[in-house]
């Protein structure tokens, strides 16, 4: 799964990287502790242009009567996304890119304490997660919402966790967005070995209130 991540790329750099028109209400960066239900940066296409826009991280199916009207859907499993009622239409019609600098996963020690790890690219550039999105409106309250698509972890990441986000290479962005024909399903696979690295970080990040660059610094 992916339940927490970091983003440090400025919005103007995101707009340039993805050749997208930026919205005026984008979340502030850097954010080293992006948590579910907050607004995050996403890239989608409207058929004429790419848009860099904010969405609520936590997908809201249209039948939810309130934002807390069902389970918090921050991830969508690649293996079942095309069949799940919550996600199947979005998987076909509403896919997006979600940029990140890295993401967190946790292991446990022999006493059951949660030990955080920060996973980041081995090389240059940000990570780009595959996402799906959904507009939701009820009783005058409206949100554009999204979830991160996850898959089985590759061998390297599986040392920490059995799941990981689907990470898209630049040559796959257009296909995932539906700009380059069909075949997006073929992209929902683990990242190639050697493309990610990870290190232990301080347990401060276990709190969703923690902030600052120190959260991603390695510890012994």
């Amino acid at each position: 799964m992916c339940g927490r991540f970091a983003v440090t790329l400025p919005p103007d750099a995101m707009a340039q990287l993805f050749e997208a028109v930026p919205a005026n209400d984008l979340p502030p960066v850097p954010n080293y502790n992006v948590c579910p239900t907050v607004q995050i940066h996403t890239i989608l296409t409207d058929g004429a242009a790419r848009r860099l826009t904010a969405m609520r991280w936590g997908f809201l199916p249209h039948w939810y009567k309130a934002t807390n009207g069902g389970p918090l859907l921050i991830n969508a499993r690649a293996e079942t996304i095309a069949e799940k009622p919550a996600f199947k239409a979005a998987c076909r019609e509403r896919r997006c890119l979600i940029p990140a600098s890295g993401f967190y996963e946790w292991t446990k020690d022999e006493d059951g304490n949660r030990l955080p790890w920060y996973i980041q690219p081995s090389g240059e550039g940000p990570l780009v997660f595959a996402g799906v999105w959904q507009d939701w409106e009820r009783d005058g309250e409206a949100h554009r919402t999204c979830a991160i698509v996850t898959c089985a972890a590759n061998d390297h990441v599986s040392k920490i966790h059995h799941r990981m986000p689907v990470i898209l290479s630049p040559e796959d962005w257009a296909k995932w967005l539906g700009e380059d024909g069909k075949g997006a399903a073929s992209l929902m696979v683990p990242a190639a070995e050697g493309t990610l690295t990870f290190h232990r970080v301080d347990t401060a990040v276990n709190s969703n209130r923690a902030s600052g660059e120190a959260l991603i610094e390695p510890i012994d």
Side-chain angles (χ1 to χ4, degrees):
M1 66 175 292
C2 180
R4 211 86 68 78
F5 65 93
V7 58
T8 60
L9 194 66
D12 58 345
M14 292 187 201
Q16 182 176 7
L17 177 65
F18 296 104
E19 300 179 342
V21 179
N24 295 321
D25 59 347
L26 296 170
V29 289
N31 185 347
Y32 295 94
N33 193 8
V34 179
C35 302
T37 76
V38 305
Q39 296 289 301
I40 65 172
H41 300 83
T42 66
I43 298 90
L44 53 79
T45 181
D46 62 9
R50 290 181 182 177
R51 305 287 177 180
L52 172 60
T53 188
M55 296 189 195
R56 176 190 187 268
W57 183 23
F59 191 98
L60 295 175
H62 64 84
W63 60 82
Y64 278 22
K65 295 182 179 179
T67 56
N68 60 353
L72 180 59
L73 304 176
I74 61 172
N75 294 158
R77 293 175 65 94
E79 298 87 346
T80 58
I81 191 171
E83 290 81 37
K84 289 287 185 180
F87 298 121
K88 61 182 182 181
C91 180
R92 292 192 306 268
E93 304 164 6
R94 295 184 301 277
R95 298 188 295 270
C96 62
L97 310 176
I98 300 174
S101 302
F103 64 100
Y104 299 94
E105 287 295 356
W106 281 260
T107 56
K108 290 185 178 180
D109 63 17
E110 60 274 12
D111 297 318
N113 298 309
R114 298 179 72 235
L115 307 178
W117 298 76
Y118 184 63
I119 305 168
Q120 62 187 352
S122 300
E124 298 293 327
L127 299 175
V128 178
F129 302 149
V132 290
W133 64 274
Q134 170 78 46
D135 281 331
W136 178 90
E137 185 172 2
R138 185 69 62 120
D139 299 328
E141 184 179 5
H143 297 280
R144 179 158 284 185
T145 71
C146 66
I148 294 171
V149 182
T150 66
C151 62
N154 63 22
D155 287 346
H156 188 53
V157 174
S158 67
K159 298 172 184 176
I160 299 173
H161 198 273
H162 67 287
R163 304 289 296 177
M164 67 183 297
V166 171
I167 298 171
L168 301 171
S169 301
E171 59 268 24
D172 296 328
W173 297 347
K175 180 166 287 187
W176 183 255
L177 290 175
E179 300 168 337
D180 189 20
K182 298 182 179 181
S186 66
L187 305 178
M188 293 189 287
V189 295
E193 300 295 338
T195 57
L196 299 171
T197 185
F198 53 76
H199 57 261
R200 270 290 317 282
V201 294
D202 193 270
T203 55
V205 78
N206 290 0
S207 169
N208 59 13
R209 298 178 180 175
S211 62
E213 188 174 1
L215 295 179
I216 66 170
E217 293 298 321
I219 63 170
D220 295 331

